């Protein structure tokens, strides 16, 4: 097997609470049910909509074999006091530089990391994807794309908006009011006075 993708059916807010990441009883160690030691040559791994801790994600990444080339982590919910996106990337960067994560790899064999986040105004199927900024931070001299004070959030103009149901959809991650100035129009913005939702 070369590719593994695992998603739960949680839509936007895992465990139905925006401000709490759930109880430790709901946490399941990734290595307890994803048997990477039995996969000789996986290249792609994707994990979406899981309750996690930073330390468990790091342990899992360390266990992935050298064949791995692409890792996608999206809509993960960190357990209370269990870390965050800013801390995860910071720890990964330190370990890469210390050769304790993906040791002794040249530039061609370093895995590409993609991080998917919900939009500030959530829409089913749409997410903000961070790729370039993550690579520049982990493997170069770029800045951590996540705020230090609010470590689960990113500033505007970081990442790209994509739609899982519309492969051609791609937008810069900017406030909605800026799309018109950029010549970008979305049919979903149309106002219909007869529509009950208005």
């Amino acid at each position: 097997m070369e590719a593994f993708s695992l998603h739960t059916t949680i839509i936007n807010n895992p465990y139905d609470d925006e401000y709490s990441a759930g109880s430790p009883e709901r946490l399941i160690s990734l290595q307890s049910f994803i048997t990477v030691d039995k996969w000789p040559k996986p290249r792609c791994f994707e994990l979406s909509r899981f309750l996690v801790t930073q330390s468990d994600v790091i342990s899992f990444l360390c266990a992935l074999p050298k064949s791995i080339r692409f890792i996608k982590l999206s809509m993960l919910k960190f357990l209370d006091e269990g870390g965050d996106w800013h801390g995860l990337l910071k720890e990964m960067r330190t370990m890469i530089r210390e050769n304790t994560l993906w040791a002794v790899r040249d530039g061609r064999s370093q895995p590409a990391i993609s991080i998917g986040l919900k939009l500030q105004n959530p829409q089913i199927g749409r997410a903000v994807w961070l790729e370039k900024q993550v690579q520049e931070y982990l493997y170069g001299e770029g800045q951590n794309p996540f705020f230090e004070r609010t470590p689960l959030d990113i500033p505007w103009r970081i990442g790209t908006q994509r739609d899982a149901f519309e492969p051609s959809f791609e937008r810069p991650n900017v406030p909605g009011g800026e799309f018109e100035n950029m010549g970008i129009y979305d049919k979903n913005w149309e106002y219909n006075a007869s529509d009950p939702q208005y």
Side-chain angles (χ1 to χ4, degrees):
M1 183 171 62
E2 293 188 356
F4 184 87
S5 180
L6 185 61
H7 297 237
T8 70
T9 56
I10 303 299
I11 293 178
N12 282 319
N13 300 320
Y15 311 102
D16 303 318
D17 191 336
E18 178 69 22
Y19 302 103
S20 175
S23 63
E25 292 77 19
R26 291 180 169 176
L27 182 68
I28 303 172
S29 170
L30 297 176
Q31 291 189 66
S32 70
F33 67 97
I34 305 176
T35 55
V36 293
D37 58 318
K38 296 182 180 179
W39 304 343
K41 295 182 179 179
R43 294 182 57 82
C44 306
F45 175 78
E46 181 175 3
L47 185 71
S48 182
R49 305 185 193 284
F50 267 82
L51 179 64
V52 298
T53 64
Q54 181 176 314
S55 60
D56 190 44
V57 173
I58 289 288
S59 296
F60 182 79
L61 294 178
C62 287
L64 290 173
K66 292 182 178 180
S67 60
I68 204 77
R69 292 294 179 269
F70 304 98
I71 298 170
K72 294 176 70 175
L73 305 172
S74 64
M75 313 302 169
L76 300 183
K77 194 79 168 181
F78 289 87
L79 185 72
D80 290 336
E81 308 300 324
D84 49 63
W85 284 117
H86 183 280
L88 176 65
L89 290 184
K90 184 177 180 180
E91 185 173 355
M92 289 173 64
R93 186 186 199 201
T94 298
M95 294 179 70
I96 288 169
R97 281 157 172 69
E98 293 175 349
N99 285 325
T100 53
L101 177 63
W102 305 320
V104 194
R105 291 191 183 210
D106 58 31
R108 293 175 298 176
S109 63
Q110 291 171 331
I113 314 293
S114 295
I115 293 177
L117 309 170
K118 67 179 182 180
L119 302 181
Q120 288 197 10
N121 296 311
Q123 299 179 50
I124 292 176
R126 293 191 180 179
V128 178
W129 286 95
L130 311 182
E131 290 149 352
K132 178 182 177 182
Q133 295 88 353
V134 172
Q135 313 317 309
E136 290 176 347
Y137 177 68
L138 291 179
Y139 302 124
E141 300 303 322
Q143 299 296 312
N144 193 319
F146 289 88
F147 290 118
E148 187 169 3
R149 291 188 176 182
T150 53
L152 299 174
D153 300 322
I154 57 172
W156 288 114
R157 299 173 186 82
I158 295 288
T160 303
Q161 295 183 18
R162 298 198 180 101
D163 192 316
F165 305 113
E166 190 177 344
S168 63
F169 180 94
E170 190 167 296
R171 302 282 188 272
N173 186 38
V174 298
E178 293 189 18
F179 283 122
E180 187 174 349
N181 296 333
M182 301 170 70
I184 298 174
Y185 178 75
D186 190 321
K187 64 183 179 181
N188 293 325
W189 302 338
E190 292 179 353
Y191 171 76
N192 183 350
S194 65
D195 191 320
Q197 69 176 315
Y198 297 109

